Amino acid sequence: MDKLREDFLEMISFENVQWDRVWEETVATLYMTGYATLFTFILGLIVGIILFLSGRSDGRFIRVIYLVTAFLVNLFRAVPFIILIILLIPFTSEIMGTIMGVKGALPALILSSAPFYARLVEIALKEIDKGVIEAAQSMGANIWHIIFKVLIPESLPALISGITVTAIMLVGATAIAGVIGAGGLGTLAYMVGHTRGQPDVTLVATIAILIIVFIIQIVGDLTSKAVDKR
C-alpha cells in the first residue's frame, strides 16, 4: 500500500518531467501526424475515387483495375502497423535515407492509413444520390467535371469526417511508432516513462496525446458542419 502511495505521489508531482522535452516530442508527434494526414488525404482520395468509379463500370479492363486496387487496399489494411514498419524498412531507407526517427516513420504511417481512408472515401461517394451523377452525365459532363464538380463537393462533409477519424488513428499510430524509436510522445511515454520507471512522464505524454486528439476532433466536427450545405 505504501509503495502504491509513493508511486501515486511521484506521478502527480511531475518531478521527473522535463517540459522542454515534452514540448519537443509534442512537436514531433504533430509533425508526423500532420504530414501523414496530408499525404493520406491525397492518396486516399485518389484511391477511393478509383474504387468508386471502377466499381460502377461493367467493362472487363476497368473491373480488373477495381479488383487489383481493392486487393491492395485490403492487403495493406490487414497488415498490423508494427509489422508494416518492419516490412517497409528497405523501402523507407531508400526513399527517406533513414529508418529511424520521425522521417523513418512517415512511409509506414501513410501506407497504413491511406487504404483505410480510401475505403471511407468510397463509402462517402456511394452515399451520393445517383440522380445527381446521372444528371451531370446527361448534360455532357466528362469524368473530370463529375469528380471535381459533383463527387467531391457532394461528399465533402463525409470526406472531412473521414479524414478526422483517420487523423486520430494516426495519432495513435505515432505513439506505436514511438515505442520502436520513431520519436514523439510515444517514445517519451515508453522509452522514458515506462522503461525508466517514471510514471509522471507517461502520464504527461498521455495527457498531451489526448489533448491533440480532442483538438483534431473538434476542428474536424466544426469544419464538417461548416461545409455541409444540407
Side-chain angles (χ1 to χ4, degrees), residues 137-187:
Q137 290 174 330
S138 68
M139 290 187 291
N142 61 34
I143 187 66
W144 300 110
H145 284 128
I146 290 174
I147 291 173
F148 291 105
K149 300 294 185 180
V150 179
L151 297 183
I152 293 178
E154 289 292 326
S155 62
L156 193 56
L159 295 179
I160 293 174
S161 296
I163 199 61
T164 301
V165 172
T166 307
I168 290 172
M169 183 190 74
L170 278 167
V171 174
T174 63
I176 297 173
V179 172
I180 59 172
L185 292 167
T187 294

Side-chain angles (χ1 to χ4, degrees), residues 21-22 24-30 32-33 81 102 170-195 201-210 212:
R21 176 74 185 278
V22 173
E24 178 184 335
E25 300 300 353
T26 299
V27 171
T29 294
L30 291 173
M32 286 189 286
T33 303
F81 176 68
V102 171
L170 278 167
V171 174
T174 63
I176 297 173
V179 172
I180 59 172
L185 292 167
T187 294
L188 187 66
Y190 182 77
M191 297 295 188
V192 179
H194 177 70
T195 60
V201 176
T202 302
L203 176 62
V204 169
T206 302
I207 292 172
I209 289 172
L210 290 175
I212 292 173

Side-chain angles (χ1 to χ4, degrees), residues 31-32 92 95-109 182:
Y31 176 90
M32 286 189 286
T92 300
I95 68 168
M96 304 301 291
T98 180
I99 60 172
M100 301 299 294
V102 171
K103 289 185 177 180
L106 285 177
L109 288 170

Side-chain angles (χ1 to χ4, degrees), residues 2 9 14 38 50 56 70 77 136 170 191 194 207-208 210 220:
D2 290 339
L9 290 175
F14 304 128
L38 174 61
I50 291 172
R56 288 164 50 90
R77 287 178 63 200
L170 278 167
M191 297 295 188
H194 177 70
I207 292 172
L210 290 175

